[in-house]
Amino acid sequence: MESLNDLRKQRIDKLGRIRDLNLEPFAYAYEQTHFAADIVAAFTGEEQESVSVAGRLMTVRRMGKASFAHLMDRSGRIQLYIKQDHIGERSYDLFKLLDIGDIVGVTGTVFKTRTGETTVLAESLTLLAKNLRPLPIVKEKIEDDEKVIFDQFADKEMRYRQRYVDLIVNPDVRDVFIKRSRIVSEIRRYLEGRGYLEVETPALQPIYGGALARPFVTHHNALDMQLFLRIADELYLKRLIVGGLDGVFEIAKDFRNEGMDRDHNPEFTMLELYVAYQDYTFMMDLVEDMVGRLCTDVLGSHTLPFHGRTIDFRSPWKRIGYMDAVSEAVGEEVHDRDEAEIRNVAKKAGIDVGDLSGRGALLDAIFSARVEPDLWNPTFITDFPIELSPLAKKHRSRPGLTERFEAFVAGMELCNSFSELNDPVDQRERFEAQTRLKEAGDEEAMVLDDDYLRAMEYGMPPTAGLGIGIDRLVMLLTDSPSIRDVILFPTMRPEQ
RNA sequence: GAGGGUGUAGCUCAGCUGGUAGAGCAACGGCCUUUUAAGCCGUGGGUCCUGGGUUCGAGCCCCAGCACCCUCACCA
């Protein structure tokens, strides 16, 4: 009788047998004096050091009255050697009742086995938490300095739904999320070090804005009103620029009610930064410098592997104008062409323009199909058409364009930035153009935000703004193929 | 949203042309005081994703559904 239920019953039965030994299977605390990896790194083979380690049993090899096991803590693994004549009969009886997955504390002395593995010779063994549900058994060995893994826990659905199991048995997964955490704290440190203020703005908004996207809608009972989950922080952060905070950033979840794929999750983390008295060229330099800093400080290199190739994050990144990139891709100048001419160019290039209308949308179709996929090493695409950029300032010298750039890496958009539009009259006209698109059925068009315009009418300094998708940045820096590999609990349909 | 794929023991996977459901690891019992993917001997373990259908008989064929994965479309 050993279905999952029976395996659980066996282990629940062990709880009683452990209590029969006068031991409690769920402890309150345990004093750790060392972490596994530190012991392994520091031990020379001489000293008779006593250590207390705590963690999860990952392997057990029993040989009658003596056994070896591996314990895993936050730092890594260390081998345990448990001998009945060392820890006593009662503790060894306890050990015989333990399973892979149990959490234990062990005090003992460090030594090296005959085969040279640094090991803790146990003097005492404490059960800290009994496992009742069998863990996937992943085995590994080192062959020709390569780690070979057997029976890896690989089912993506189970890995995402039960991330706790994934984290226990797949050390690479754990490494990715540790790196993610370091990347975010390094960004904070970088920005705080330059005097920018971290702020928090509403996630529940009566009017959504700051990006072109469909929102999630919710309802507030007490106010009996519709609220939207933010699709961007942008308009609130720029209100703070009006308010004189001059340099503000926010690292927060945005929510967009759209499709999901390798690089889209409905909730995702965005860094937005606004700096008064600067323009988009300042922001380009900042992005290049900050990402470069992350490469060296977190990953230890400016050239990183990604999808079997290498990404070179060294400065300076390539910079190319949007219209130049499109012209080059189709082998034809598109700068001064009107909508009909650009439609023809797109068709000639074999791009399905379907029912697209508007010069900007057509250019974007060409850009997405012919330019974006080929941008492997970090590249700034600059000076986007005004139709695509309702919150960006008109280019100071090139009509029809805005002072805006996006950085692309490995065919993926990494960030979006512009010299912020600070002319309230111009901004009102752009909003009105968006309203016309919305009335024509564009569900992603922006909604006019009167309070934002009111704020801008009080006077907004020239400002550079930036948004970086943190999830995508982490994907690039950790060679992760899917956004779900860098989000601890990606959005899933519920089970059953 | 479209197309393709996958779903069998706790985990990783076999399962032929439709004929009583298999392996390794894990578990359980026995032996074993320097092992390491996996010592030796033995035992048990299944909603074959779900619901219909065809058939004497379905893990396998048909229909519908669910979940996940991949590609494409939209989007950051």
Side-chain angles (χ1 to χ4, degrees):
Chain A
M1 298 294 282
E2 282 174 36
S3 65
L4 173 58
N5 241 339
D6 302 317
L7 292 167
R8 284 186 65 236
K9 273 186 200 139
Q10 275 173 6
R11 296 190 183 196
I12 288 167
D13 180 57
K14 284 180 180 176
L15 291 178
R17 292 159 71 188
I18 289 161
R19 290 189 168 114
D20 289 345
L21 294 170
N22 234 343
L23 295 167
E24 169 53 41
F26 298 97
Y28 289 88
Y30 191 83
E31 179 93 14
Q32 290 170 282
T33 63
H34 292 73
F35 294 120
D38 300 334
I39 296 171
V40 172
F43 188 66
T44 61
E46 311 277 309
E47 59 273 39
Q48 286 287 307
E49 196 175 12
S50 178
V51 297
S52 292
V53 291
R56 195 181 291 273
L57 286 178
M58 298 304 288
T59 68
V60 176
R61 293 178 295 284
R62 298 177 205 274
M63 304 160 299
K65 296 189 179 64
S67 303
F68 286 93
H70 276 104
L71 175 141
M72 181 173 75
D73 65 16
R74 72 171 75 158
S75 71
R77 294 184 181 205
I78 190 162
Q79 182 166 257
L80 307 174
Y81 183 32
I82 295 158
K83 294 169 75 172
Q84 180 172 293
D85 59 10
H86 244 80
I87 63 168
E89 202 164 328
R90 190 172 70 136
S91 287
Y92 204 78
D93 284 346
L94 167 66
F95 181 73
K96 284 192 277 192
L97 289 168
L98 297 187
D99 293 286
I100 288 172
D102 286 352
I103 296 170
V104 300
V106 167
T107 298
T109 51
V110 184
F111 76 109
K112 267 203 166 84
T113 62
R114 216 183 271 163
T115 54
E117 181 163 353
T118 301
T119 301
V120 176
L121 174 59
E123 273 139 30
S124 78
L125 168 72
T126 311
L127 177 58
L128 304 176
K130 184 79 195 78
N131 161 296
L132 299 181
R133 196 178 276 265
L135 219 52
I137 305 295
V138 179
K139 309 220 172 186
E140 52 190 56
K141 72 166 171 183
I142 310 292
E143 196 170 74
D144 305 330
D145 282 345
E146 294 265 308
K147 193 198 272 183
V148 187
I149 297 173
F150 299 85
D151 297 342
Q152 180 157 38
F153 179 60
D155 184 297
K156 284 189 181 168
E157 182 174 356
M158 276 196 286
R159 287 184 43 218
Y160 297 147
R161 286 193 195 281
Q162 296 180 248
R163 184 69 91 181
Y164 36 91
V165 176
D166 196 25
L167 286 165
I168 291 167
V169 303
N170 290 326
D172 295 351
V173 172
R174 173 195 181 82
D175 287 347
V176 165
F177 288 106
I178 291 172
K179 278 181 189 157
R180 179 178 176 131
S181 176
R182 289 198 186 133
I183 288 165
V184 172
S185 36
E186 208 47 51
I187 289 172
R188 275 212 171 83
R189 225 164 57 113
Y190 182 93
L191 295 176
E192 282 171 355
R194 278 155 183 75
Y196 306 133
L197 190 70
E198 182 169 13
V199 296
E200 293 180 274
T201 64
L204 291 174
Q205 306 181 347
I207 298 173
Y208 62 94
L212 303 168
R214 289 160 67 185
F216 285 92
V217 186
T218 188
H219 182 263
H220 188 278
N221 289 339
L223 295 176
D224 188 23
M225 68 179 288
Q226 179 174 258
L227 286 171
F228 302 96
L229 274 63
R230 69 170 151 223
I231 58 171
D233 313 347
E234 175 148 357
L235 301 186
Y236 282 97
L237 290 173
K238 285 194 276 192
R239 284 173 170 94
L240 298 179
I241 295 292
V242 170
L245 293 183
D246 280 9
V248 290
F249 72 96
E250 182 166 18
I251 296 172
K253 284 278 183 71
D254 288 346
F255 305 88
R256 297 191 186 173
N257 206 340
E258 289 159 353
M260 300 162 56
D261 63 25
R262 206 175 43 216
D263 40 45
H264 295 83
N265 196 65
E267 55 178 300
F268 62 102
T269 304
M270 181 83 105
L271 161 68
E272 291 197 27
L273 167 68
Y274 295 85
V275 181
Y277 309 110
Q278 297 292 356
D279 62 18
Y280 73 145
T281 60
F282 166 87
M283 225 29 125
M284 260 185 269
D285 294 341
L286 185 144
V287 167
E288 211 175 83
D289 185 58
M290 184 172 74
V291 173
R293 192 68 67 86
L294 296 174
C295 288
T296 50
D297 291 3
V298 182
L299 289 313
S301 171
H302 271 107
T303 54
L304 300 176
F306 193 71
H307 291 14
R309 295 173 63 184
T310 299
I311 300 175
D312 187 346
F313 282 98
R314 277 176 301 186
S315 297
W317 296 2
K318 194 176 169 192
R319 299 182 183 192
I320 178 168
Y322 183 98
M323 298 304 276
D324 295 333
V326 171
S327 300
E328 196 179 305
V330 296
E332 204 168 334
E333 267 301 321
V334 295
H335 283 88
D336 301 315
R337 306 297 191 81
D338 64 20
E339 178 173 345
E341 288 171 317
I342 288 170
R343 184 181 301 275
N344 277 328
V345 169
K347 281 185 185 156
K348 250 195 290 178
I351 294 158
D352 178 21
V353 291
D355 53 358
L356 287 179
S357 67
R359 192 168 169 274
L362 290 163
L363 284 167
D364 205 42
I366 302 174
F367 183 84
S368 300
R370 287 291 171 299
V371 180
E372 199 173 323
D374 295 327
L375 299 174
W376 183 263
N377 280 324
T379 305
F380 289 119
I381 298 292
T382 64
D383 304 336
F384 281 61
I386 193 162
E387 299 92 327
L388 298 173
S389 316
L391 300 169
K393 207 166 165 63
K394 278 174 184 154
H395 197 282
R396 62 195 75 183
S397 61
R398 309 171 82 177
L401 302 181
T402 53
E403 296 203 350
R404 171 185 177 190
F405 72 85
E406 292 189 353
F408 290 86
V409 187
M412 207 161 43
E413 182 186 333
L414 176 63
C415 72
N416 186 15
S417 169
F418 26 89
S419 300
E420 300 293 338
L421 177 51
N422 63 339
D423 171 348
V425 177
D426 187 353
Q427 182 67 76
R428 186 174 293 276
E429 285 165 9
R430 307 274 195 101
F431 270 139
E432 281 162 359
Q434 289 290 313
T435 302
R436 285 192 293 277
L437 286 177
K438 187 141 215 114
E439 280 161 1
D442 184 347
E443 289 188 74
E444 289 175 355
M446 280 185 198
V447 182
L448 187 142
D449 188 333
D450 275 313
D451 177 68
Y452 176 63
L453 288 171
R454 179 169 65 184
M456 199 180 284
E457 285 178 7
Y458 280 100
M460 178 171 139
T463 298
L466 169 72
I468 296 187
I470 295 294
D471 312 274
R472 289 180 176 183
L473 178 64
V474 175
M475 285 171 70
L476 290 168
L477 297 184
T478 59
D479 194 10
S480 295
S482 165
I483 197 166
R484 300 187 138 202
D485 296 319
V486 301
I487 293 175
L488 281 165
F489 299 101
T491 303
M492 304 280 279
R493 279 202 160 84
E495 292 178 82
Q496 289 166 359

